[in-house]
Amino acid sequence: QMQLVESGGGLVQAGGSLRLSCAASERTFSRYAVGWFRRAPEKERNFVGTVSGNGDRIRYADSVLGRFTISRDNAKKTVYLQMDSLKPEDTAIYFCARARMAHADILPVSQHQYSDWGQGTQVTVSS
């Protein structure tokens, strides 16, 4: 089982930026797509974006397209979520997880297609 640890959350004003990190424990990390999800207060966990194992394919939720950027550094076993132009509605706990299948041809967007979830990091955007 791979361990994933998120960091970088915090409190920021609307319009500001944060960069989240998702650090993995295993070298096999590069075989898997890694997804970001978020859970706003009293809401379900929703897809934010995902990146393929080698970083050449990325997919975003419509709600963050153009504002958030996902990247990964497999040498550091880390995936990043750069969040710009933050809005109060981005307030949530952000989670990363790895895809259940290695070398997936199609980037998964359902949380049920992911495992080894991190503990999450809180992002709060004030208006």
Side-chain angles (χ1 to χ4, degrees):
Q1 182 175 358
M2 188 180 301
Q3 291 185 339
L4 299 176
V5 178
E6 304 93 338
S7 62
L11 174 64
V12 63
Q13 289 188 332
S17 298
L18 281 175
R19 189 176 81 156
L20 306 184
S21 298
C22 172
S25 61
E26 303 294 331
R27 290 185 177 183
T28 56
F29 171 74
S30 63
R31 301 177 186 175
Y32 299 92
V34 171
W36 285 98
F37 292 77
R38 66 186 180 185
R39 185 172 66 229
E42 300 182 0
K43 293 189 177 179
E44 295 184 350
R45 189 162 56 187
N46 289 320
F47 172 75
V48 173
T50 185
V51 58
S52 61
N54 63 5
D56 64 342
R57 291 173 293 138
I58 300 173
R59 187 170 179 180
Y60 298 99
D62 289 344
S63 58
V64 306
L65 192 62
R67 300 189 298 121
F68 290 12
T69 304
I70 296 174
S71 61
R72 67 188 296 162
D73 184 339
N74 285 336
K76 296 182 178 179
K77 298 182 290 184
T78 302
V79 171
Y80 303 98
L81 178 64
Q82 176 67 41
M83 306 186 294
D84 300 316
S85 302
L86 282 162
K87 305 175 182 180
E89 51 263 43
D90 294 318
T91 294
I93 301 173
Y94 284 71
F95 302 88
C96 64
R98 70 158 180 90
R100 292 186 181 274
M101 293 184 59
H103 307 300
D105 291 332
I106 300 175
L107 291 176
V109 299
S110 168
Q111 61 177 324
H112 303 294
Q113 296 172 296
Y114 287 87
S115 65
D116 298 341
W117 293 84
Q119 83 289 347
T121 186
Q122 176 70 48
V123 171
T124 303
V125 184
S126 63
S127 58

CSV table of all heavy atoms in Angstrom, one decimal, residues 34-91:
chain,number,residue,atom,x,y,z
A,34,VAL,N,-2.2,10.2,-10.6
A,34,VAL,CA,-2.6,10.7,-9.2
A,34,VAL,C,-3.7,11.8,-9.4
A,34,VAL,O,-3.5,12.7,-10.2
A,34,VAL,CB,-1.3,11.3,-8.5
A,34,VAL,CG1,-1.7,12.0,-7.3
A,34,VAL,CG2,-0.3,10.2,-8.2
A,35,GLY,N,-4.7,11.6,-8.6
A,35,GLY,CA,-5.8,12.5,-8.7
A,35,GLY,C,-5.9,13.4,-7.4
A,35,GLY,O,-5.4,13.1,-6.4
A,36,TRP,N,-6.4,14.6,-7.7
A,36,TRP,CA,-6.8,15.5,-6.6
A,36,TRP,C,-8.3,15.6,-6.5
A,36,TRP,O,-9.0,15.7,-7.5
A,36,TRP,CB,-6.2,16.9,-6.8
A,36,TRP,CG,-4.7,17.0,-6.6
A,36,TRP,CD1,-3.8,17.0,-7.6
A,36,TRP,CD2,-4.1,17.3,-5.4
A,36,TRP,NE1,-2.5,17.2,-7.0
A,36,TRP,CE2,-2.7,17.3,-5.6
A,36,TRP,CE3,-4.5,17.4,-4.0
A,36,TRP,CZ2,-1.7,17.5,-4.7
A,36,TRP,CZ3,-3.5,17.6,-3.1
A,36,TRP,CH2,-2.2,17.7,-3.4
A,37,PHE,N,-8.8,15.6,-5.3
A,37,PHE,CA,-10.2,15.7,-5.0
A,37,PHE,C,-10.4,16.7,-3.8
A,37,PHE,O,-9.4,17.0,-3.1
A,37,PHE,CB,-10.8,14.3,-4.6
A,37,PHE,CG,-10.8,13.3,-5.7
A,37,PHE,CD1,-9.7,12.7,-6.1
A,37,PHE,CD2,-12.0,13.1,-6.4
A,37,PHE,CE1,-9.7,11.8,-7.2
A,37,PHE,CE2,-12.1,12.1,-7.4
A,37,PHE,CZ,-10.9,11.5,-7.8
A,38,ARG,N,-11.6,17.2,-3.7
A,38,ARG,CA,-11.8,18.1,-2.5
A,38,ARG,C,-13.2,17.8,-2.0
A,38,ARG,O,-14.1,17.4,-2.7
A,38,ARG,CB,-11.7,19.5,-2.9
A,38,ARG,CG,-12.7,20.0,-4.0
A,38,ARG,CD,-12.3,21.4,-4.4
A,38,ARG,NE,-13.3,22.0,-5.4
A,38,ARG,CZ,-13.1,23.1,-6.0
A,38,ARG,NH1,-12.1,23.9,-5.7
A,38,ARG,NH2,-14.1,23.6,-6.8
A,39,ARG,N,-13.3,18.1,-0.7
A,39,ARG,CA,-14.6,18.0,0.0
A,39,ARG,C,-14.9,19.3,0.7
A,39,ARG,O,-14.2,19.6,1.7
A,39,ARG,CB,-14.6,16.8,0.9
A,39,ARG,CG,-16.0,16.6,1.6
A,39,ARG,CD,-16.1,15.3,2.4
A,39,ARG,NE,-15.2,15.3,3.5
A,39,ARG,CZ,-14.3,14.4,3.8
A,39,ARG,NH1,-14.2,13.3,3.1
A,39,ARG,NH2,-13.6,14.5,4.9
A,40,ALA,N,-15.9,20.0,0.2
A,40,ALA,CA,-16.3,21.2,0.9
A,40,ALA,C,-17.2,20.9,2.1
A,40,ALA,O,-17.7,19.8,2.1
A,40,ALA,CB,-17.1,22.1,-0.1
A,41,PRO,N,-17.4,21.8,3.0
A,41,PRO,CA,-18.2,21.5,4.2
A,41,PRO,C,-19.6,21.1,3.8
A,41,PRO,O,-20.3,21.6,2.9
A,41,PRO,CB,-18.2,22.9,4.9
A,41,PRO,CG,-17.0,23.6,4.5
A,41,PRO,CD,-16.7,23.1,3.0
A,42,GLU,N,-20.0,19.9,4.4
A,42,GLU,CA,-21.3,19.4,4.2
A,42,GLU,C,-21.6,19.0,2.8
A,42,GLU,O,-22.8,18.9,2.3
A,42,GLU,CB,-22.4,20.3,4.7
A,42,GLU,CG,-22.2,20.6,6.2
A,42,GLU,CD,-23.3,21.6,6.7
A,42,GLU,OE1,-24.2,21.9,5.9
A,42,GLU,OE2,-23.3,21.9,7.9
A,43,LYS,N,-20.6,18.7,2.0
A,43,LYS,CA,-20.7,18.3,0.6
A,43,LYS,C,-19.9,17.0,0.4
A,43,LYS,O,-19.1,16.6,1.1
A,43,LYS,CB,-20.3,19.4,-0.4
A,43,LYS,CG,-21.2,20.6,-0.3
A,43,LYS,CD,-20.9,21.5,-1.4
A,43,LYS,CE,-21.8,22.7,-1.4
A,43,LYS,NZ,-21.5,23.7,-2.5
A,44,GLU,N,-20.2,16.3,-0.8
A,44,GLU,CA,-19.5,15.1,-1.1
A,44,GLU,C,-18.1,15.5,-1.7
A,44,GLU,O,-17.8,16.6,-2.1
A,44,GLU,CB,-20.3,14.3,-2.2
A,44,GLU,CG,-21.6,13.8,-1.6
A,44,GLU,CD,-22.3,13.0,-2.7
A,44,GLU,OE1,-21.9,12.9,-3.8
A,44,GLU,OE2,-23.3,12.3,-2.3
A,45,ARG,N,-17.2,14.5,-1.7
A,45,ARG,CA,-15.9,14.7,-2.2
A,45,ARG,C,-16.0,14.7,-3.8
A,45,ARG,O,-16.6,13.8,-4.4
A,45,ARG,CB,-15.0,13.6,-1.8
A,45,ARG,CG,-13.5,13.7,-2.1
A,45,ARG,CD,-12.6,12.8,-1.3
A,45,ARG,NE,-13.0,11.4,-1.4
A,45,ARG,CZ,-12.5,10.5,-0.6
A,45,ARG,NH1,-11.6,10.8,0.3
A,45,ARG,NH2,-12.8,9.2,-0.7
A,46,ASN,N,-15.4,15.7,-4.4
A,46,ASN,CA,-15.5,15.9,-5.8
A,46,ASN,C,-14.1,15.9,-6.5
A,46,ASN,O,-13.1,16.3,-5.9
A,46,ASN,CB,-16.2,17.2,-6.2
A,46,ASN,CG,-17.7,17.1,-5.8
A,46,ASN,OD1,-18.3,16.1,-6.0
A,46,ASN,ND2,-18.2,18.2,-5.3
A,47,PHE,N,-14.1,15.5,-7.7
A,47,PHE,CA,-12.9,15.5,-8.6
A,47,PHE,C,-12.4,16.9,-8.8
A,47,PHE,O,-13.2,17.8,-9.1
A,47,PHE,CB,-13.2,14.8,-9.9
A,47,PHE,CG,-12.2,14.8,-10.9
A,47,PHE,CD1,-11.0,14.1,-10.8
A,47,PHE,CD2,-12.3,15.7,-12.0
A,47,PHE,CE1,-10.0,14.1,-11.8
A,47,PHE,CE2,-11.3,15.7,-13.0
A,47,PHE,CZ,-10.2,14.9,-12.9
A,48,VAL,N,-11.1,17.1,-8.7
A,48,VAL,CA,-10.5,18.4,-9.1
A,48,VAL,C,-9.6,18.3,-10.3
A,48,VAL,O,-9.7,19.1,-11.3
A,48,VAL,CB,-9.6,18.9,-7.9
A,48,VAL,CG1,-8.8,20.1,-8.3
A,48,VAL,CG2,-10.5,19.2,-6.7
A,49,GLY,N,-8.8,17.2,-10.4
A,49,GLY,CA,-7.9,17.0,-11.5
A,49,GLY,C,-7.1,15.8,-11.3
A,49,GLY,O,-7.0,15.2,-10.2
A,50,THR,N,-6.4,15.4,-12.4
A,50,THR,CA,-5.6,14.2,-12.3
A,50,THR,C,-4.5,14.3,-13.4
A,50,THR,O,-4.6,15.0,-14.4
A,50,THR,CB,-6.4,12.9,-12.5
A,50,THR,OG1,-5.6,11.8,-12.4
A,50,THR,CG2,-7.1,12.9,-13.9
A,51,VAL,N,-3.4,13.6,-13.1
A,51,VAL,CA,-2.2,13.6,-14.0
A,51,VAL,C,-1.8,12.2,-14.2
A,51,VAL,O,-1.7,11.4,-13.2
A,51,VAL,CB,-1.1,14.5,-13.4
A,51,VAL,CG1,-0.7,14.0,-12.0
A,51,VAL,CG2,0.1,14.6,-14.3
A,52,SER,N,-1.4,11.9,-15.4
A,52,SER,CA,-0.9,10.5,-15.7
A,52,SER,C,0.4,10.3,-15.0
A,52,SER,O,1.1,11.2,-14.5
A,52,SER,CB,-0.7,10.4,-17.2
A,52,SER,OG,0.2,11.3,-17.7
A,53,GLY,N,0.8,9.0,-15.1
A,53,GLY,CA,2.1,8.6,-14.4
A,53,GLY,C,3.3,9.3,-14.8
A,53,GLY,O,4.2,9.7,-14.0
A,54,ASN,N,3.4,9.6,-16.1
A,54,ASN,CA,4.6,10.3,-16.6
A,54,ASN,C,4.4,11.8,-16.8
A,54,ASN,O,5.2,12.5,-17.3
A,54,ASN,CB,5.1,9.7,-17.9
A,54,ASN,CG,4.1,9.8,-19.0
A,54,ASN,OD1,3.1,10.4,-18.9
A,54,ASN,ND2,4.5,9.2,-20.2
A,55,GLY,N,3.2,12.3,-16.5
A,55,GLY,CA,2.9,13.7,-16.5
A,55,GLY,C,2.5,14.2,-17.8
A,55,GLY,O,2.3,15.5,-18.0
A,56,ASP,N,2.3,13.4,-18.8
A,56,ASP,CA,2.0,13.9,-20.2
A,56,ASP,C,0.5,14.1,-20.4
A,56,ASP,O,0.2,14.8,-21.5
A,56,ASP,CB,2.6,13.0,-21.2
A,56,ASP,CG,1.9,11.6,-21.3
A,56,ASP,OD1,1.3,11.3,-20.2
A,56,ASP,OD2,2.1,10.9,-22.3
A,57,ARG,N,-0.3,13.7,-19.6
A,57,ARG,CA,-1.8,13.9,-19.7
A,57,ARG,C,-2.3,14.4,-18.4
A,57,ARG,O,-2.0,13.9,-17.3
A,57,ARG,CB,-2.5,12.6,-20.1
A,57,ARG,CG,-2.1,12.2,-21.5
A,57,ARG,CD,-2.7,10.8,-21.8
A,57,ARG,NE,-2.1,9.8,-21.0
A,57,ARG,CZ,-2.8,8.8,-20.4
A,57,ARG,NH1,-4.1,8.7,-20.5
A,57,ARG,NH2,-2.1,7.9,-19.7
A,58,ILE,N,-3.1,15.5,-18.5
A,58,ILE,CA,-3.8,16.1,-17.3
A,58,ILE,C,-5.2,16.4,-17.7
A,58,ILE,O,-5.6,16.7,-18.8
A,58,ILE,CB,-3.0,17.4,-16.9
A,58,ILE,CG1,-1.6,17.1,-16.6
A,58,ILE,CG2,-3.7,18.0,-15.7
A,58,ILE,CD1,-0.7,18.3,-16.4
A,59,ARG,N,-6.1,16.2,-16.7
A,59,ARG,CA,-7.5,16.5,-16.9
A,59,ARG,C,-8.0,17.2,-15.6
A,59,ARG,O,-7.6,16.9,-14.5
A,59,ARG,CB,-8.2,15.2,-17.0
A,59,ARG,CG,-9.7,15.3,-17.3
A,59,ARG,CD,-10.3,14.0,-17.7
A,59,ARG,NE,-11.7,14.1,-18.0
A,59,ARG,CZ,-12.5,13.0,-18.4
A,59,ARG,NH1,-11.9,11.8,-18.4
A,59,ARG,NH2,-13.7,13.2,-18.6
A,60,TYR,N,-8.8,18.2,-15.9
A,60,TYR,CA,-9.3,19.1,-14.8
A,60,TYR,C,-10.8,19.1,-14.8
A,60,TYR,O,-11.5,19.0,-15.8
A,60,TYR,CB,-8.8,20.5,-15.0
A,60,TYR,CG,-7.3,20.7,-15.0
A,60,TYR,CD1,-6.6,20.8,-16.1
A,60,TYR,CD2,-6.7,20.8,-13.7
A,60,TYR,CE1,-5.2,21.0,-16.1
A,60,TYR,CE2,-5.3,21.0,-13.7
A,60,TYR,CZ,-4.6,21.1,-14.9
A,60,TYR,OH,-3.2,21.3,-14.9
A,61,ALA,N,-11.3,19.4,-13.6
A,61,ALA,CA,-12.8,19.6,-13.5
A,61,ALA,C,-13.0,21.0,-14.1
A,61,ALA,O,-12.2,21.9,-14.0
A,61,ALA,CB,-13.2,19.6,-12.0
A,62,ASP,N,-14.2,21.2,-14.6
A,62,ASP,CA,-14.6,22.5,-15.3
A,62,ASP,C,-14.5,23.6,-14.3
A,62,ASP,O,-14.1,24.8,-14.7
A,62,ASP,CB,-16.0,22.4,-15.8
A,62,ASP,CG,-16.1,21.5,-17.0
A,62,ASP,OD1,-15.0,21.2,-17.6
A,62,ASP,OD2,-17.2,21.1,-17.4
A,63,SER,N,-14.7,23.4,-13.0
A,63,SER,CA,-14.8,24.4,-12.0
A,63,SER,C,-13.4,25.0,-11.7
A,63,SER,O,-13.3,26.1,-11.2
A,63,SER,CB,-15.4,23.9,-10.7
A,63,SER,OG,-14.6,22.8,-10.2
A,64,VAL,N,-12.3,24.3,-12.1
A,64,VAL,CA,-11.0,24.8,-11.8
A,64,VAL,C,-10.2,25.0,-13.0
A,64,VAL,O,-9.0,25.5,-12.9
A,64,VAL,CB,-10.2,23.8,-10.8
A,64,VAL,CG1,-11.1,23.6,-9.6
A,64,VAL,CG2,-9.9,22.5,-11.5
A,65,LEU,N,-10.7,24.7,-14.2
A,65,LEU,CA,-10.0,24.8,-15.4
A,65,LEU,C,-9.5,26.3,-15.7
A,65,LEU,O,-10.3,27.2,-15.5
A,65,LEU,CB,-10.9,24.4,-16.6
A,65,LEU,CG,-10.2,24.2,-17.9
A,65,LEU,CD1,-9.1,23.1,-17.9
A,65,LEU,CD2,-11.3,23.8,-19.0
A,66,GLY,N,-8.3,26.4,-16.0
A,66,GLY,CA,-7.7,27.8,-16.2
A,66,GLY,C,-7.2,28.4,-14.9
A,66,GLY,O,-6.5,29.5,-15.0
A,67,ARG,N,-7.5,27.9,-13.8
A,67,ARG,CA,-7.1,28.5,-12.5
A,67,ARG,C,-6.1,27.5,-11.7
A,67,ARG,O,-5.2,28.0,-11.1
A,67,ARG,CB,-8.2,28.8,-11.6
A,67,ARG,CG,-9.2,29.7,-12.2
A,67,ARG,CD,-10.3,30.2,-11.1
A,67,ARG,NE,-11.1,29.0,-10.6
A,67,ARG,CZ,-11.1,28.6,-9.4
A,67,ARG,NH1,-10.5,29.3,-8.4
A,67,ARG,NH2,-11.9,27.6,-9.0
A,68,PHE,N,-6.3,26.3,-11.9
A,68,PHE,CA,-5.5,25.3,-11.2
A,68,PHE,C,-4.6,24.6,-12.2
A,68,PHE,O,-5.0,24.3,-13.3
A,68,PHE,CB,-6.3,24.2,-10.5
A,68,PHE,CG,-7.1,24.7,-9.3
A,68,PHE,CD1,-7.2,26.0,-9.0
A,68,PHE,CD2,-7.7,23.8,-8.4
A,68,PHE,CE1,-7.9,26.5,-7.9
A,68,PHE,CE2,-8.4,24.2,-7.3
A,68,PHE,CZ,-8.5,25.6,-7.1
A,69,THR,N,-3.4,24.2,-11.7
A,69,THR,CA,-2.4,23.5,-12.6
A,69,THR,C,-1.8,22.3,-11.8
A,69,THR,O,-1.3,22.5,-10.7
A,69,THR,CB,-1.3,24.4,-13.0
A,69,THR,OG1,-1.8,25.6,-13.7
A,69,THR,CG2,-0.3,23.7,-14.0
A,70,ILE,N,-1.9,21.2,-12.4
A,70,ILE,CA,-1.3,20.0,-11.8
A,70,ILE,C,0.0,19.6,-12.5
A,70,ILE,O,0.1,19.7,-13.7
A,70,ILE,CB,-2.2,18.8,-11.9
A,70,ILE,CG1,-3.5,19.0,-11.1
A,70,ILE,CG2,-1.6,17.5,-11.4
A,70,ILE,CD1,-4.6,17.9,-11.3
A,71,SER,N,1.0,19.3,-11.7
A,71,SER,CA,2.3,18.8,-12.2
A,71,SER,C,2.8,17.7,-11.3
A,71,SER,O,2.3,17.5,-10.2
A,71,SER,CB,3.3,20.0,-12.4
A,71,SER,OG,3.5,20.5,-11.1
A,72,ARG,N,3.9,17.1,-11.8
A,72,ARG,CA,4.5,16.0,-10.9
A,72,ARG,C,6.0,15.9,-11.2
A,72,ARG,O,6.4,16.2,-12.3
A,72,ARG,CB,3.8,14.7,-11.1
A,72,ARG,CG,4.0,14.0,-12.5
A,72,ARG,CD,3.1,12.8,-12.6
A,72,ARG,NE,3.5,11.7,-11.6
A,72,ARG,CZ,2.7,10.7,-11.3
A,72,ARG,NH1,1.5,10.6,-11.8
A,72,ARG,NH2,3.1,9.8,-10.4
A,73,ASP,N,6.7,15.6,-10.2
A,73,ASP,CA,8.1,15.3,-10.2
A,73,ASP,C,8.3,13.9,-9.7
A,73,ASP,O,8.4,13.7,-8.5
A,73,ASP,CB,8.9,16.4,-9.4
A,73,ASP,CG,10.4,16.3,-9.5
A,73,ASP,OD1,10.9,15.2,-9.9
A,73,ASP,OD2,11.1,17.2,-9.2
A,74,ASN,N,8.5,13.0,-10.6
A,74,ASN,CA,8.6,11.6,-10.2
A,74,ASN,C,9.9,11.3,-9.5
A,74,ASN,O,10.0,10.4,-8.6
A,74,ASN,CB,8.4,10.6,-11.4
A,74,ASN,CG,7.0,10.5,-11.8
A,74,ASN,OD1,6.1,10.8,-11.0
A,74,ASN,ND2,6.8,10.2,-13.1
A,75,ALA,N,10.9,12.1,-9.8
A,75,ALA,CA,12.2,11.9,-9.0
A,75,ALA,C,12.0,12.2,-7.6
A,75,ALA,O,12.7,11.6,-6.7
A,75,ALA,CB,13.3,12.8,-9.6
A,76,LYS,N,11.1,13.2,-7.3
A,76,LYS,CA,10.8,13.5,-5.9
A,76,LYS,C,9.6,12.8,-5.4
A,76,LYS,O,9.2,13.0,-4.2
A,76,LYS,CB,10.6,15.0,-5.8
A,76,LYS,CG,11.9,15.8,-6.1
A,76,LYS,CD,11.6,17.3,-5.9
A,76,LYS,CE,12.9,18.1,-6.2
A,76,LYS,NZ,12.6,19.6,-6.0
A,77,LYS,N,9.0,12.0,-6.2
A,77,LYS,CA,7.8,11.2,-5.8
A,77,LYS,C,6.7,12.2,-5.3
A,77,LYS,O,6.1,11.9,-4.3
A,77,LYS,CB,8.1,10.1,-4.8
A,77,LYS,CG,9.0,9.1,-5.3
A,77,LYS,CD,9.3,8.0,-4.3
A,77,LYS,CE,10.1,8.5,-3.1
A,77,LYS,NZ,10.4,7.5,-2.1
A,78,THR,N,6.5,13.3,-6.0
A,78,THR,CA,5.6,14.3,-5.6
A,78,THR,C,4.7,14.8,-6.7
A,78,THR,O,5.2,15.0,-7.8
A,78,THR,CB,6.3,15.5,-4.9
A,78,THR,OG1,7.1,15.0,-3.8
A,78,THR,CG2,5.4,16.5,-4.4
A,79,VAL,N,3.5,15.1,-6.4
A,79,VAL,CA,2.5,15.7,-7.3
A,79,VAL,C,2.1,17.0,-6.7
A,79,VAL,O,1.9,17.1,-5.5
A,79,VAL,CB,1.3,14.8,-7.6
A,79,VAL,CG1,0.2,15.6,-8.4
A,79,VAL,CG2,1.7,13.6,-8.4
A,80,TYR,N,2.0,18.1,-7.6
A,80,TYR,CA,1.7,19.4,-7.1
A,80,TYR,C,0.3,19.8,-7.7
A,80,TYR,O,-0.1,19.5,-8.8
A,80,TYR,CB,2.7,20.4,-7.5
A,80,TYR,CG,4.1,20.0,-7.1
A,80,TYR,CD1,5.0,19.4,-7.9
A,80,TYR,CD2,4.5,20.3,-5.8
A,80,TYR,CE1,6.3,19.0,-7.5
A,80,TYR,CE2,5.8,19.9,-5.3
A,80,TYR,CZ,6.7,19.3,-6.2
A,80,TYR,OH,7.9,18.9,-5.8
A,81,LEU,N,-0.3,20.7,-6.9
A,81,LEU,CA,-1.6,21.3,-7.3
A,81,LEU,C,-1.4,22.8,-7.1
A,81,LEU,O,-1.4,23.3,-5.9
A,81,LEU,CB,-2.8,20.8,-6.6
A,81,LEU,CG,-4.1,21.4,-6.9
A,81,LEU,CD1,-4.5,21.2,-8.4
A,81,LEU,CD2,-5.2,21.0,-6.0
A,82,GLN,N,-1.1,23.5,-8.1
A,82,GLN,CA,-1.0,25.0,-8.1
A,82,GLN,C,-2.3,25.6,-8.2
A,82,GLN,O,-3.0,25.4,-9.2
A,82,GLN,CB,0.0,25.5,-9.1
A,82,GLN,CG,0.1,27.0,-9.2
A,82,GLN,CD,0.8,27.6,-8.0
A,82,GLN,OE1,1.8,27.0,-7.5
A,82,GLN,NE2,0.3,28.7,-7.5
A,83,MET,N,-2.8,26.4,-7.2
A,83,MET,CA,-4.1,27.0,-7.2
A,83,MET,C,-4.0,28.5,-7.3
A,83,MET,O,-3.5,29.1,-6.3
A,83,MET,CB,-4.9,26.5,-6.0
A,83,MET,CG,-5.0,25.0,-5.8
A,83,MET,SD,-6.0,24.5,-4.5
A,83,MET,CE,-5.1,25.1,-3.1
A,84,ASP,N,-4.4,29.1,-8.3
A,84,ASP,CA,-4.4,30.5,-8.5
A,84,ASP,C,-5.8,31.1,-8.6
A,84,ASP,O,-6.8,30.3,-8.9
A,84,ASP,CB,-3.6,30.9,-9.8
A,84,ASP,CG,-2.2,30.4,-9.7
A,84,ASP,OD1,-1.5,30.6,-8.7
A,84,ASP,OD2,-1.7,29.9,-10.8
A,85,SER,N,-5.9,32.4,-8.4
A,85,SER,CA,-7.3,33.0,-8.5
A,85,SER,C,-8.3,32.3,-7.7
A,85,SER,O,-9.4,32.0,-8.1
A,85,SER,CB,-7.7,33.1,-10.0
A,85,SER,OG,-6.8,33.8,-10.8
A,86,LEU,N,-7.9,32.0,-6.4
A,86,LEU,CA,-8.8,31.3,-5.6
A,86,LEU,C,-10.0,32.0,-5.2
A,86,LEU,O,-10.0,33.3,-5.1
A,86,LEU,CB,-8.0,30.9,-4.3
A,86,LEU,CG,-7.0,29.7,-4.5
A,86,LEU,CD1,-6.0,29.7,-3.3
A,86,LEU,CD2,-7.8,28.4,-4.5
A,87,LYS,N,-11.1,31.3,-5.1
A,87,LYS,CA,-12.4,31.8,-4.7
A,87,LYS,C,-12.9,31.2,-3.4
A,87,LYS,O,-12.5,30.1,-3.1
A,87,LYS,CB,-13.4,31.4,-5.8
A,87,LYS,CG,-13.0,31.9,-7.2
A,87,LYS,CD,-14.0,31.3,-8.3
A,87,LYS,CE,-13.6,31.7,-9.7
A,87,LYS,NZ,-14.5,31.2,-10.7
A,88,PRO,N,-13.8,31.9,-2.7
A,88,PRO,CA,-14.3,31.3,-1.5
A,88,PRO,C,-14.9,29.9,-1.7
A,88,PRO,O,-14.8,29.0,-0.8
A,88,PRO,CB,-15.4,32.3,-1.1
A,88,PRO,CG,-14.9,33.6,-1.6
A,88,PRO,CD,-14.2,33.2,-2.9
A,89,GLU,N,-15.5,29.6,-2.8
A,89,GLU,CA,-16.1,28.3,-3.1
A,89,GLU,C,-15.0,27.2,-3.3
A,89,GLU,O,-15.4,26.0,-3.4
A,89,GLU,CB,-17.0,28.4,-4.3
A,89,GLU,CG,-16.4,29.0,-5.5
A,89,GLU,CD,-16.8,30.5,-5.7
A,89,GLU,OE1,-16.7,31.2,-4.7
A,89,GLU,OE2,-17.1,30.9,-6.8
A,90,ASP,N,-13.7,27.6,-3.3
A,90,ASP,CA,-12.7,26.6,-3.4
A,90,ASP,C,-12.3,26.1,-2.0
A,90,ASP,O,-11.5,25.1,-1.8
A,90,ASP,CB,-11.4,27.2,-4.0
A,90,ASP,CG,-11.6,27.5,-5.5
A,90,ASP,OD1,-12.2,26.7,-6.2
A,90,ASP,OD2,-11.1,28.6,-5.9
A,91,THR,N,-12.9,26.7,-1.0
A,91,THR,CA,-12.7,26.2,0.4
A,91,THR,C,-13.1,24.8,0.6
A,91,THR,O,-14.3,24.4,0.3
A,91,THR,CB,-13.5,27.1,1.4
A,91,THR,OG1,-13.0,28.4,1.4
A,91,THR,CG2,-13.4,26.5,2.8
